[in-house]
Amino acid sequence: QNLLNDFRRFFGASDVRDTANFRKSYDFVVVGAGSGGCVVANRLSENPEWSVLLLEAGDDENFLTDVPLIASLQTITSYNWGYKSERLATACLGLIDGRCNMPRGKALGGTSVINFLLYTRGTKQDFDQWAELGNPGWGYDQVLPYFIKSENCTKCREIDGKYHGKSGYLSVEHPGYESPLVKRFIKSGEELGYKNNDPSAPYGLGFSKVLATMRNGMRCSASKAFLKPILHRTNLHVSIKTRVTKILIDPSTKQAYGVQFWKNRRKFTVLATKEVVLSAGSINSPHLLMLSGVGPRDDLTRVGIPLLQNLKVGYNLQDHMAMSALVFFVNESITVSDRGVQNPVDIFNYVFNGRGPYTIPGGAEALAFVQTKYAKIGGYPDIELVLGAGALNGDVYGSLRSLLGIPRSLFERVYAPHAYKPAFSIAPVLMRPKSRGRVVIKDGNPLHWPKLIPNYFENEEDVKTMVEGIKMARWSSSASVFCSSAITITQSRHFQKYNITMITTPFPGCETVPFGSDEYWACAVRHVATTLGHQVGTCKMGPPSDPDAVVDERLRVYGIKGLRVVDGSIMPNVVAGHTNAVIMMIGEKASDMIKQEWARK
Ligand SMILES: Cc1cc2nc3c(=O)[nH]c(=O)nc-3n(C[C@H](O)[C@H](O)[C@H](O)COP(=O)(O)OP(=O)(O)OC[C@H]3O[C@@H](n4cnc5c(N)ncnc54)[C@H](O)[C@@H]3O)c2cc1C
């Protein structure tokens, strides 16, 4: 039934009552219907006395966005804002135009409509550290109830039940397919001394099968979870294809009192009598603040926007970089490729049973949170290893390449000669990056992109940690340059049956460095590592004493009344995990704070 509804939506039908007749004012105006915004719109409109307007630039989802395996396809559609970074001297050197793709969702559901559906929460240390940085209420024990509140994990098997919810809006489940690689990956982890445990429990390190934000094998985006079930509420108005261009702030009182936006080529102004909640994500939230006069003095002066509040908006950009370019060949057809899943059995199994390889979230089957020799705090992962059921060589139709920004010439040279060989991947992800980037306003036109300067791998230690992660992931032959002291995953006896080999064609730009040496992998990281799309931190939460803080621990913008930021941009530090569930938790907690404050007034 869900798939049929989605199919209808593909041809323009939508079950969202798209508001085009706006009231003059609402109690709350929420900007952006992403992972944070959908939760806030839901929880605030639980109070029938309050009117809520949710404004979203993108469109409703369709049946293609539902299919977990083809997640990477979404980034070549209009559901992606399509951002690219400036050219960097330290990263993305071998990618198209020497720039990094920075995908962000533009849809009802935001980035949760184009993401890879992996459900993780970060570690206990992440949140305890947020609290230690001067953000009371954000320690692990305080945020855990909000993760549980959101979640419905009734179908989950291999979990530690006390850390999971069973009655929340967000459906979480295991994929309806498992390749033989998964068990071997987990067994290899045990050989390395890691437990097979639930990554949502506070253990920090370990190997596990993936959990995904799915319902019966279909994507459960923030919109499916938190909006679709409550569209009958008459106090909630939702407007899609609506581009907010400014938050209105009274210069004398510093009170946010409404928003300006475009819809159907018409300009509107709507007032917010209680609060404006900015949930436009880690690139657009800081951009909108700057367009509205809240940001770094020098930048706003440069572009001619009158300064209302001088804050370090757009600084502290953090992200997770991944090395998704590693390919491990196996001698049996046990992997998943573009061509492999075209068979009618898999298609039938998915459409009618919600099972089979199409339910693998973005192709990822298992995760490992591990430590390299650079990790300083015991039990705190600095690398994640993501086991992929397929690899770049099998991406013959090019959706994964497009997501990553891999040039055709690189693909032809390195991968195309192996297009038909069964292969899987293990992508090391840098969990605790030290490099920090920026979102910088380019000019005063709200429709122009800001400049994105993520500074990936500016800090040398980030590269070294990634190299260690690669060495843990990659094949190692006892007689070759690949040797490392650690037992590597694919070298373990559990994988021996598959006689694993790797591509040995060097990446363009790294040909002169001895293949397989640490220097080679460092060069590869700088050339072809890509973002996982976990941009956070650009409206940093922190105490008044923190000169970099943009919002306080109740997510209120410093110096401006009636304005909160509720999305990934408030994270002071990126968590050692994927960010979607964390941002939903932020939405849950923020909604409670808003309710408490207005109950007192
Ligand atoms: C390719 C990719 C894969 C990912 N995979 C995973 C994963 O497997 N697991 C995981 O946990 N996380 C994953 N993430 C990250 C995760 O999905 C995001 O961190 C999260 O969804 C961001 O939530 P948010 O609320 O901060 O912003 P968003 O969800 O991006 O929401 C912001 C919303 O605001 C809207 N908006 C912006 N500007 C305006 C404007 N001016 N007017 C109106 N509306 C506006 C946007 O269109 C968007 O809908 C992935 C991200 C990407 C890009």
Side-chain angles (χ1 to χ4, degrees):
Q1 186 60 41
N2 285 344
L3 204 67
L4 272 178
N5 283 340
D6 280 0
F7 194 68
R8 279 176 42 241
R9 275 202 293 279
F10 188 65
F11 291 101
S14 169
D15 39 27
V16 178
R17 274 178 293 125
D18 182 18
T19 305
N21 295 319
F22 299 97
R23 294 184 197 166
K24 193 162 168 279
S25 69
Y26 292 80
D27 291 305
F28 295 93
V29 176
V30 182
V31 180
S35 306
C38 286
V39 178
V40 173
N42 178 321
R43 296 302 183 188
L44 295 186
S45 62
E46 281 175 344
N47 181 344
E49 305 289 313
W50 286 348
S51 56
V52 179
L53 174 65
L54 176 63
L55 300 171
E56 168 53 47
D59 203 346
D60 197 2
E61 303 158 88
N62 67 42
F63 80 102
L64 283 179
T65 58
D66 267 2
V67 186
L69 184 66
I70 60 171
S72 59
L73 192 69
Q74 310 317 328
T75 56
I76 51 173
T77 67
S78 57
Y79 288 122
N80 179 7
W81 284 83
Y83 290 121
K84 277 177 170 280
S85 73
E86 298 294 299
R87 286 214 177 102
L88 305 176
T90 51
C92 305
L93 302 177
L95 303 180
I96 295 172
D97 201 21
R99 306 202 294 163
C100 319
N101 282 353
M102 296 180 75
R104 302 294 307 174
K106 186 181 186 184
L108 204 62
T111 306
S112 74
V113 171
I114 65 165
N115 78 8
F116 276 30
L117 297 88
L118 299 174
Y119 182 88
T120 69
R121 300 175 178 175
T123 65
K124 181 177 186 313
Q125 290 98 325
D126 288 315
F127 302 105
D128 288 344
Q129 206 175 71
W130 287 12
E132 278 159 27
L133 288 171
N135 301 298
W138 290 91
Y140 180 76
D141 292 342
Q142 285 98 41
V143 301
L144 179 62
Y146 291 108
F147 280 111
I148 293 175
K149 182 179 184 185
S150 277
E151 190 188 19
N152 183 336
C153 208
T154 32
K155 287 192 188 165
C156 306
R157 297 175 310 272
E158 295 174 31
I159 55 163
D160 192 337
K162 60 181 175 296
Y163 298 103
H164 289 272
K166 290 202 159 92
S167 54
Y169 283 101
L170 179 70
S171 300
V172 177
E173 57 188 39
H174 293 288
Y177 180 84
E178 188 179 302
S179 80
L181 297 165
V182 175
K183 283 202 177 72
R184 289 173 193 275
F185 180 74
I186 290 173
K187 288 265 172 235
S188 307
E190 285 170 354
E191 203 166 291
L192 284 167
Y194 290 98
K195 290 207 169 93
N196 170 16
N197 55 21
D198 177 357
S200 300
Y203 311 130
L205 306 176
F207 281 55
S208 64
K209 295 176 186 173
V210 293
L211 277 176
T213 44
M214 281 193 313
R215 192 178 288 157
N216 303 322
M218 286 187 280
R219 179 189 294 275
C220 183
S221 67
S223 151
K224 285 245 182 61
F226 291 92
L227 278 187
K228 299 285 164 85
I230 56 141
L231 286 173
H232 58 275
R233 290 184 193 161
T234 50
N235 61 334
L236 172 66
H237 284 183
V238 179
S239 180
I240 54 177
K241 295 187 255 183
T242 302
R243 181 77 176 264
V244 176
T245 49
K246 192 174 182 185
I247 299 150
L248 301 169
I249 302 169
D250 185 319
S252 52
T253 61
K254 304 263 185 95
Q255 171 78 41
Y257 63 91
V259 294
Q260 258 173 18
F261 57 89
W262 286 88
K263 181 172 177 110
N264 298 337
R265 296 167 192 247
R266 281 182 60 201
K267 193 174 184 180
F268 294 85
T269 297
V270 162
L271 306 182
T273 52
K274 288 191 166 61
E275 292 191 24
V276 174
V277 178
L278 187 52
S279 298
S282 293
I283 294 175
N284 293 30
S285 282
H287 191 214
L288 273 168
L289 281 178
M290 291 188 267
L291 288 165
S292 312
V294 180
R297 181 191 303 275
D298 290 352
D299 290 333
L300 298 202
T301 309
R302 171 176 51 80
V303 299
I305 294 176
L307 181 78
L308 297 176
Q309 186 68 26
N310 182 19
L311 290 172
K312 289 185 91 172
V313 173
Y315 283 77
N316 192 43
L317 173 63
Q318 299 170 48
D319 200 351
H320 285 147
M321 289 297 272
M323 184 68 178
S324 302
L326 303 180
V327 172
F328 301 101
F329 297 118
V330 288
N331 57 8
E332 277 182 42
S333 298
I334 50 162
T335 59
V336 173
S337 66
D338 275 2
R339 284 216 169 88
V341 291
Q342 279 175 1
N343 75 74
V345 177
D346 287 339
I347 295 171
F348 187 90
N349 196 13
Y350 181 67
V351 173
F352 293 98
N353 304 322
R355 301 193 65 78
Y358 281 98
T359 64
I360 306 175
E365 291 207 273
L367 309 175
F369 291 97
V370 296
Q371 284 195 313
T372 69
K373 64 182 183 190
Y374 296 108
K376 300 206 168 59
I377 307 171
Y380 201 177
D382 57 351
I383 285 284
E384 180 190 14
L385 302 171
V386 180
L387 174 72
L392 252 178
N393 68 312
D395 180 52
V396 286
Y397 300 128
S399 63
L400 184 57
R401 272 180 272 157
S402 302
L403 164 66
L404 305 177
I406 302 272
R408 191 173 186 88
S409 55
L410 191 159
F411 185 81
E412 295 293 333
R413 178 137 143 224
V414 178
Y415 298 103
H418 311 281
Y420 299 99
K421 288 190 195 159
F424 70 95
S425 61
I426 297 179
V429 185
L430 183 69
M431 286 282 98
R432 309 272 309 134
K434 296 195 165 51
S435 308
R436 298 287 181 265
R438 268 192 79 184
V439 175
V440 182
I441 191 164
K442 212 184 281 171
D443 58 38
N445 185 334
L447 304 182
H448 287 174
W449 283 8
K451 267 194 200 170
L452 304 177
I453 312 171
N455 293 331
Y456 299 132
F457 301 121
E458 197 180 54
N459 187 307
E460 192 61 34
E461 204 171 306
D462 286 351
V463 181
K464 288 185 179 159
T465 308
M466 274 296 267
V467 169
E468 290 304 308
I470 291 170
K471 290 199 304 196
M472 279 182 120
R474 71 169 168 67
W475 166 71
S476 173
S477 121
S478 54
S480 76
V481 287
F482 302 129
C483 268
S484 73
S485 53
I487 305 168
T488 57
I489 308 290
T490 55
Q491 182 201 13
S492 90
R493 65 193 162 88
H494 303 286
F495 278 105
Q496 265 168 16
K497 162 176 194 261
Y498 298 123
N499 190 25
I500 289 171
T501 55
M502 266 184 104
I503 291 179
T504 49
T505 314
F507 292 111
C510 302
E511 297 94 336
T512 56
V513 192
F515 184 85
S517 61
D518 281 10
E519 295 70 30
Y520 175 78
W521 291 119
C523 178
V525 163
R526 292 202 187 280
H527 278 74
V528 294
T530 52
T531 168
L532 274 200
H534 294 179
Q535 299 90 7
V536 301
T538 47
C539 300
K540 183 187 180 193
M541 169 173 69
S545 56
D546 179 349
D548 297 335
V550 173
V551 299
D552 68 9
E553 88 280 5
R554 299 187 79 80
L555 311 187
R556 297 170 295 206
V557 175
Y558 277 111
I560 307 289
K561 293 187 272 265
L563 180 58
R564 252 177 252 252
V565 183
V566 184
D567 58 26
S569 69
I570 66 99
M571 293 189 203
N573 283 324
V574 68
V575 297
H578 301 249
T579 43
N580 186 30
V582 183
I583 295 166
M584 290 173 174
M585 174 280 287
I586 292 169
E588 294 278 16
K589 189 165 161 57
S591 304
D592 261 12
M593 294 191 295
I594 295 170
K595 285 175 172 175
Q596 285 157 10
E597 282 167 36
W598 284 98
R600 282 201 293 268
K601 286 191 182 166

